[in-house]
Amino acid sequence: MYPERTPALVTLLVVCAAAAAYIAVRRPFLRRLALRQVARRRGEAMLVIGGSVLGTAIIIGSLVVGDTLNFSVRQGAYTNLGPIDEIVTSATIAQGDEAAARLRELRGDPQVDGVLTVRAAEAAAVTGADASRRAEPRISVYEGDLVAAGEFGGSADGGSGLGGPTPVRGEAVVNADLADTMGVGPGDALTLYLYGKPTPFRVARVVPTRGVAGVSTGPVSRNAFLAPGTLVEAARAARSTVEPRTVTFVSNVGGVEDGDAASDAVEGKIRAALGPLTGQGTSVEKAKQALLDAAKAAGDGLGSFFLFIGSFSIIAGVLLLVNIFVMLAEERKSELGMLRAIGMKRSRLVRSFVIEGTVYALVASLVGILVGIGVGRAVVVVAAQIFNSFSAEEGGLTLAFNVTPVSIVNGFALGFLIAFLTVALTSLRISRVNIISAIRDLPTGGVHRTRRRWVIASTVLAALTAAAAVPAIADSQGLGTYLYPALTVVLLCPLLVRLAPKRWVYTAAAAAVLGWGLVANTVRPKVLENGSTVTFVVLGIMLTFSAVFLVSQNQDVLTRPFRRFMLRPTPGGLASRLAIAYPVARKFRTGAILIMYSLVVFTLVLITVLGSLVNATVDNEVANASGGFAVRADFNPANPIPDPARTLTSGRFSGAITDAVPLLVAPGKISNVGRLSRPTDTVVIGADPAIAETGLYPLTKRLDGLGDDRATWRAVMTDRRYVIIDQFLGSTGGGPPTMTFTPGQTLTLTDPATGRAEQKTIAGILKSGNGFYGVGGTSFVSPTILSASAATAQFGGQAKLASALVKTAAGVSDDTVAADLQGQFLPQSLVATRVRQAVEKGFGASRGFFQLMQGFLALGLLVGIAGLGVVMVRAVRERRRTIGVLRALGFPASTVQRAFLTESSFVASEGIVLGAALSVLTSYLLFENDPSFAGTGIGFPIPWLSIAILIAAATVASLLATFWPAHQAARIRPAVALRIAD
């Protein structure tokens, strides 16, 4: 994944590693000092490495998830396309024959190694009788020369998947998917409904579902291959107005994926050969390129999404690394003071730490590769179960685990750079040691006054960020709206601390940043509409950092209610005083732990609340997706149901079905709107005007002046200038919409078969397009809805009657209606989709992904818990003398142990409660200000039980992590502790 970023990352990696190596070679003393610390303090080295491993592991795990999805989707290039790179389709036999004749001249082209022409149509299949009867309402049927098909594209990467003799009349060659579905093999009988007429066939042989044998224009590839002329005769016998399609496959020189490089050039040659036919109903599709691009977009999208989720855990890992290094420096304080006293410059001290940090970063990144692959594997296993819950018709996908060298290199480089830069920057802070205080192991007191030039620089920068904040807030830019005001406040602090007490300034600044982070989307409701993951990362960091800083500055206020208990002359009171004193005195390390906990718990609880909120809206989503229609019936446009509005409401369905609204369906492309950088596939739906009266699909946005939802639908049905689009148009990789559209914007709608383009105006945006996904047996792409007359005027014969929306009578089961429809109209290849079932299955998948995200994010909570345990281990070592004095004065071991456990409980509970409270408050404000939740009729659901379990589990885990260091502290013998020198 992201191969374009690899050179930059590798360059930075080499530069940083070379700088450290140069220092180590040029300064042997610094090298020996650094390596001595690594060898001498192996326990500390393991802690630093452990803190660095998770960052690399999460990055590589996220990239591996993207690699797997990319690879799995790309397998469609082998299964559904094989050597096919371009597909030329003609709607009529005459035009198809002419197109095939024109394309024969490409057979001698050096970039083309095969041209194959076949006829194609849709059909239904039946086999067996009575109890053993099996039916498949939608398969693809082809006729052509199978000997030529077997030679098409050569034998590279499995070839076309076909071979052997062409079947004779009455025989059929079927692919493995169709054979498995129907339970047939060579010699078995199979009945195909060709243009509505049952025709018996004998299965001649079964071929692998691969290449031409697995070619598919829809979500499934159940194919049968017949003798030449069979489809043409069947269409004429049925007097069908729809002729078999003529499809010409073109194979570029090279393997399955290598041929993609020549697609643009070959497409140009195809169009040149076809001449005027491309504007008269013959379409040219770069099928291989489109599939591979979609695979990359889907893989990158899902990988980026998990990287966004994992970024909070990465930040927690960075904070753990900082905390560990700072604590190591505290322990080495006397040693550092002696080095500075004998003349070592601060810069050399930093270089020594850089050498040491490079060793840690290198080892941690190498270990992180193995851990990251394991994390990615675990995520893929869970994700595979979610994908497998959907059938192929519903967009199911079989995941095949895959790791690419590019992802390993990128993950290793990012992990190393994060650890290296963290150590380098932390070393700068460590080097600012007071020599006298360090040698005597005294606290570093005193007030460090910021230099005037830094005050001036920060004030100027504050003015610049304030200026940048004005247009960002005015335009509701997500990142700028949150970031610029917060930076302005932070940059003003050096100036303000010269004018007011430091605590007042820092408290006010933290409160201001926290307040703005919470209310920004109330002041500017559209600030989160772009769905940018960077915006959410910045928001989470702003809220948690500012809240923790506010708490750290005012710990005495927060602990005041417990002061009476702590002042009691009892073991419990004494243990409480000891427990609170250390974290209050060590604000930096305590704050780092609080941020680790708060940031991860904030995101975990936010995902939990949002998941609960989504589940609470299932009934509302069913209403949005169905528009009042219980079932969508999709049928074969070559053999459509005549007059669906009458046929589906009379006869055996009279009384069960009250209304049926026919839909015309055509493939289309949309461009020149929003941030769409290239033409985007869409399913054009020409709706009957009854859709605006019989049902009502709610809109999330409408064009001003058209009225309410029903009035907007009526306007679209009467004015061909208007269209209604799906909010997910142009989105890839799942997740929230990545494009933002506004009613009133214009777009270009193009018929890919004729090239005819028209300007349309967005009249409304669907609240849910679920009810239209897969309409007419098409792929699951976003719908664009206009009137049937407008669709016919632009798309002509390409707009085919292929679907109908069905409204059932009160009390009638949609399951029963769907089953009856499929049984009654099997010759028309009818497939009935129950809207509620489809929506509920989608919600089940969403619930699974929320749980997957929670599990992935829980790694960050493990970092926080581990960080608390590490800090307590270091605290015990750091406070050995203090513990020895207390024990010598008569304090029992149980009091010391209780003090350490109380301290860890205090810090962990503070971080957990802070993160959970911020998360609930943030999700409530999102709920109140998100227009998509307006009118849902539900209150704000808070999953108290899930949150309570999360808090309890984190608290118990934190206590378990600190039990051993607390126990060790209690076992320290006073005499040993008081005479320990190092």
Side-chain angles (χ1 to χ4, degrees):
M1 276 183 63
Y2 312 120
E4 66 277 3
R5 302 180 188 177
T6 304
L9 290 174
V10 172
T11 301
L12 288 174
L13 170 66
V14 171
V15 169
C16 293
Y22 177 80
I23 296 171
V25 172
R26 292 279 296 175
R27 303 291 181 182
F29 170 71
L30 298 182
R31 182 184 69 242
R32 288 194 297 270
L33 179 63
L35 297 181
R36 174 179 173 272
Q37 296 289 6
V38 174
R40 177 168 168 255
R41 303 175 185 272
R42 296 176 183 175
E44 288 82 349
M46 294 302 298
L47 291 176
V48 178
I49 292 171
S52 306
V53 161
L54 194 65
T56 303
I58 290 175
I59 293 170
I60 290 182
S62 302
L63 298 181
V64 166
V65 171
D67 282 342
T68 296
L69 187 62
N70 191 329
F71 176 78
S72 300
V73 177
R74 291 173 81 91
Q75 290 307 291
Y78 293 83
T79 303
N80 300 122
L81 292 175
I84 301 171
D85 290 284
E86 294 83 32
I87 300 177
V88 180
T89 305
S90 300
T92 65
I93 296 173
Q95 193 174 86
D97 289 342
E98 184 178 354
R102 288 170 176 261
L103 292 174
R104 288 193 188 103
E105 65 184 59
L106 294 178
R107 290 179 176 173
D109 191 282
Q111 290 183 301
V112 176
D113 66 358
V115 178
L116 176 68
T117 299
V118 298
R119 312 277 191 202
E122 279 69 49
V126 179
T127 186
D130 300 328
S132 62
R133 185 173 185 265
R134 290 191 183 187
E136 175 53 49
R138 184 177 297 153
I139 69 168
S140 295
V141 181
Y142 298 88
E143 64 173 33
D145 184 352
L146 263 62
V147 175
E151 299 171 354
F152 174 73
S155 59
D157 297 314
S160 69
L162 288 172
T166 301
V168 299
R169 294 299 176 90
E171 288 186 341
V173 175
V174 301
N175 68 8
D177 284 3
L178 179 58
D180 291 342
T181 300
M182 304 305 297
V184 297
D188 291 339
L190 181 68
T191 299
L192 301 181
Y193 281 86
L194 303 178
Y195 295 93
K197 303 294 183 182
T199 307
F201 291 91
R202 183 183 67 84
V203 177
R205 63 184 181 277
V206 178
V207 295
T209 304
R210 188 179 184 87
V212 177
V215 68
S216 172
T217 57
V220 294
S221 55
R222 301 185 183 105
N223 300 337
F225 299 86
L226 310 178
T230 305
L231 291 179
V232 176
E233 292 177 6
R236 289 172 180 169
R239 297 182 180 180
S240 174
T241 58
V242 179
E243 299 180 6
R245 300 187 310 277
T246 302
V247 182
T248 299
F249 302 127
V250 179
S251 175
N252 301 343
V253 172
V256 171
E257 298 191 46
D258 297 337
D260 173 55
S263 280
D264 292 336
V266 173
E267 182 204 23
K269 295 177 182 179
I270 291 173
R271 293 187 180 277
L274 292 173
L277 292 180
T278 55
Q280 299 173 1
T282 296
S283 63
V284 181
E285 178 189 5
K286 295 183 290 185
K288 184 74 64 62
Q289 188 178 88
L291 189 147
L292 295 178
D293 288 349
K296 184 179 186 305
D300 289 354
L302 193 61
S304 297
F305 183 69
F306 275 96
L307 192 57
F308 151 63
I309 294 296
S311 63
F312 297 103
S313 300
I314 294 172
I315 294 170
V318 169
L319 290 172
L320 174 59
L321 189 59
V322 171
N323 227 352
I324 293 173
F325 235 70
V326 170
M327 294 187 73
L328 291 180
E330 288 287 337
E331 185 180 342
R332 301 178 194 173
K333 187 187 298 182
S334 299
E335 179 183 339
L336 296 178
M338 291 298 298
L339 291 173
R340 293 281 286 119
I342 62 176
M344 177 179 280
K345 295 181 179 179
R346 183 177 295 144
S347 60
R348 294 187 177 181
L349 199 60
V350 172
R351 292 172 193 171
S352 174
F353 274 108
V354 167
I355 296 172
E356 184 178 351
T358 301
V359 175
Y360 296 145
L362 189 61
V363 175
S365 298
L366 290 172
V367 175
I369 291 175
L370 298 177
V371 178
I373 293 175
V375 169
R377 177 69 177 176
V379 172
V380 167
V381 168
V382 179
Q385 297 174 353
I386 298 171
F387 279 110
N388 290 338
S389 66
F390 290 87
S391 64
E393 292 91 340
E394 298 166 320
L397 177 66
T398 301
L399 294 184
F401 183 72
N402 185 60
V403 183
T404 64
V406 171
S407 292
I408 297 298
V409 172
N410 286 351
F412 173 80
L414 278 171
F416 175 85
L417 290 172
I418 289 173
F420 179 86
L421 293 176
T422 300
V423 171
L425 294 176
T426 306
S427 300
L428 293 174
R429 179 185 184 275
I430 293 172
S431 66
R432 297 173 62 86
V433 62
N434 182 284
I435 298 175
I436 303 300
S437 299
I439 293 176
R440 300 180 63 188
D441 197 18
L442 298 174
T444 54
V447 179
H448 300 283
R449 189 177 180 86
T450 307
R451 295 181 180 179
R452 181 175 298 178
R453 63 173 178 267
W454 292 114
V455 174
I456 296 173
S458 65
T459 305
V460 171
L461 289 175
L464 294 175
T465 54
V470 175
I473 296 173
D475 296 338
S476 294
Q477 299 172 7
L479 182 61
T481 298
Y482 283 110
L483 185 60
Y484 292 145
L487 288 177
T488 301
V489 172
V490 173
L491 290 170
L492 282 175
C493 286
L495 174 64
L496 295 177
V497 294
R498 289 175 170 253
L499 307 175
K502 181 181 294 187
R503 178 175 174 179
W504 292 6
V505 171
Y506 290 156
T507 299
V513 173
L514 177 62
W516 177 247
L518 291 172
V519 305
N521 73 312
T522 302
V523 178
R524 308 299 298 170
K526 298 182 179 181
V527 72
L528 295 176
E529 279 193 355
N530 63 359
S532 170
T533 55
V534 177
T535 302
F536 285 99
V537 172
V538 170
L539 175 59
I541 293 173
M542 272 181 55
L543 293 176
T544 52
F545 273 62
S546 57
V548 167
F549 202 81
L550 184 64
V551 167
S552 298
Q553 291 294 314
N554 298 277
Q555 287 283 16
D556 57 334
V557 177
L558 295 176
T559 57
R560 188 171 297 167
F562 309 102
R563 188 169 298 174
R564 179 174 298 180
F565 172 77
M566 291 188 294
L567 291 177
R568 289 180 180 178
T570 61
L574 177 59
S576 299
R577 289 199 299 276
L578 292 173
I580 299 300
Y582 187 78
V584 170
R586 304 286 186 175
K587 292 182 179 180
F588 178 83
R589 64 181 67 175
T590 303
I593 298 174
L594 287 177
I595 292 173
M596 289 160 59
Y597 269 88
S598 299
L599 189 61
V600 179
V601 170
F602 169 85
T603 316
L604 272 171
V605 173
L606 184 64
I607 291 174
T608 302
V609 173
L610 291 179
S612 174
L613 184 59
V614 169
N615 288 332
T617 62
V618 62
D619 290 333
N620 188 67
E621 178 65 15
V622 169
N624 293 337
S626 66
F629 299 96
V631 176
R632 191 189 74 228
D634 301 312
F635 40 81
N636 188 349
N639 183 35
I641 296 174
D643 191 7
R646 180 186 60 81
T647 304
L648 296 180
T649 55
S650 59
R652 64 177 296 181
F653 297 104
S654 178
I657 297 177
T658 59
D659 294 285
V661 177
L663 302 176
L664 302 180
V665 180
K669 288 186 179 293
I670 283 180
S671 57
N672 301 325
V673 61
R675 293 184 286 111
L676 288 178
S677 58
R678 57 190 301 177
T680 298
D681 289 331
T682 184
V683 174
V684 177
I685 299 175
D688 187 276
I691 195 173
E693 311 301 333
T694 305
L696 181 64
Y697 285 93
L699 305 175
T700 186
K701 297 178 184 178
R702 301 181 298 273
L703 180 61
D704 294 337
L706 293 183
D708 60 10
D709 286 356
R710 194 175 299 279
T712 301
W713 275 98
R714 287 171 177 163
V716 173
M717 293 299 105
T718 56
D719 192 333
R720 60 180 295 178
R721 296 176 301 169
Y722 292 136
V723 296
I724 290 175
I725 66 171
D726 179 26
Q727 61 178 319
F728 288 92
L729 177 68
S731 296
T732 57
T738 57
M739 303 289 177
T740 302
F741 303 102
T742 304
Q745 286 181 309
T746 60
L747 55 83
T748 301
L749 181 61
T750 305
D751 179 358
T754 64
R756 181 173 180 177
E758 290 187 7
Q759 293 286 98
K760 303 291 184 180
T761 300
I762 300 175
I765 300 175
L766 289 169
K767 277 191 175 180
S768 172
N770 272 330
F772 297 103
Y773 293 155
V775 63
T778 58
S779 299
F780 282 66
V781 295
S782 293
T784 298
I785 305 172
L786 62 167
S787 67
S789 59
T792 302
Q794 180 178 357
F795 292 85
Q798 299 297 320
K800 297 181 176 65
L801 178 62
S803 186
L805 301 173
V806 175
K807 177 178 285 189
T808 57
V812 176
S813 168
D814 55 354
D815 292 345
T816 302
V817 169
D820 289 346
L821 284 171
Q822 292 191 159
Q824 179 71 17
F825 296 103
L826 180 63
Q828 285 77 23
S829 302
L830 187 145
V831 175
T833 300
R834 290 160 289 171
V835 178
R836 172 170 285 277
Q837 182 194 50
V839 170
E840 289 179 345
K841 183 169 283 191
F843 271 82
S846 297
R847 192 179 302 112
F849 269 110
F850 275 119
Q851 294 170 350
L852 180 60
M853 287 187 289
Q854 288 173 322
F856 194 69
L857 189 60
L859 293 171
L861 191 56
L862 289 178
V863 175
I865 294 170
L868 182 61
V870 168
V871 169
M872 296 308 296
V873 169
R874 305 305 309 152
V876 170
R877 185 181 179 92
E878 190 177 85
R879 286 184 268 173
R880 284 175 300 183
R881 289 180 180 275
T882 303
I883 294 170
V885 170
L886 292 174
R887 294 283 285 114
L889 292 174
F891 284 80
S894 59
T895 300
V896 174
Q897 180 171 333
R898 185 186 301 178
F900 276 93
L901 289 175
T902 304
E903 180 180 328
S904 64
S905 301
F906 169 73
V907 175
S909 300
E910 207 170 39
I912 293 169
V913 171
L914 198 60
L918 279 175
S919 185
V920 172
L921 182 57
T922 302
S923 54
Y924 173 76
L925 293 174
L926 289 173
F927 173 82
E928 287 295 317
N929 293 281
D930 192 333
S932 62
F933 293 113
T936 57
I938 63 170
F940 177 64
I942 303 179
W944 291 115
L945 179 60
S946 299
I947 295 175
I949 293 174
L950 173 64
I951 291 175
T955 303
V956 171
S958 301
L959 287 174
L960 292 176
T962 56
F963 178 80
W964 183 80
H967 182 66
Q968 291 297 108
R971 294 181 59 187
I972 293 178
R973 290 179 293 176
V976 175
L978 290 175
R979 68 169 180 260
I980 288 179
D982 184 20

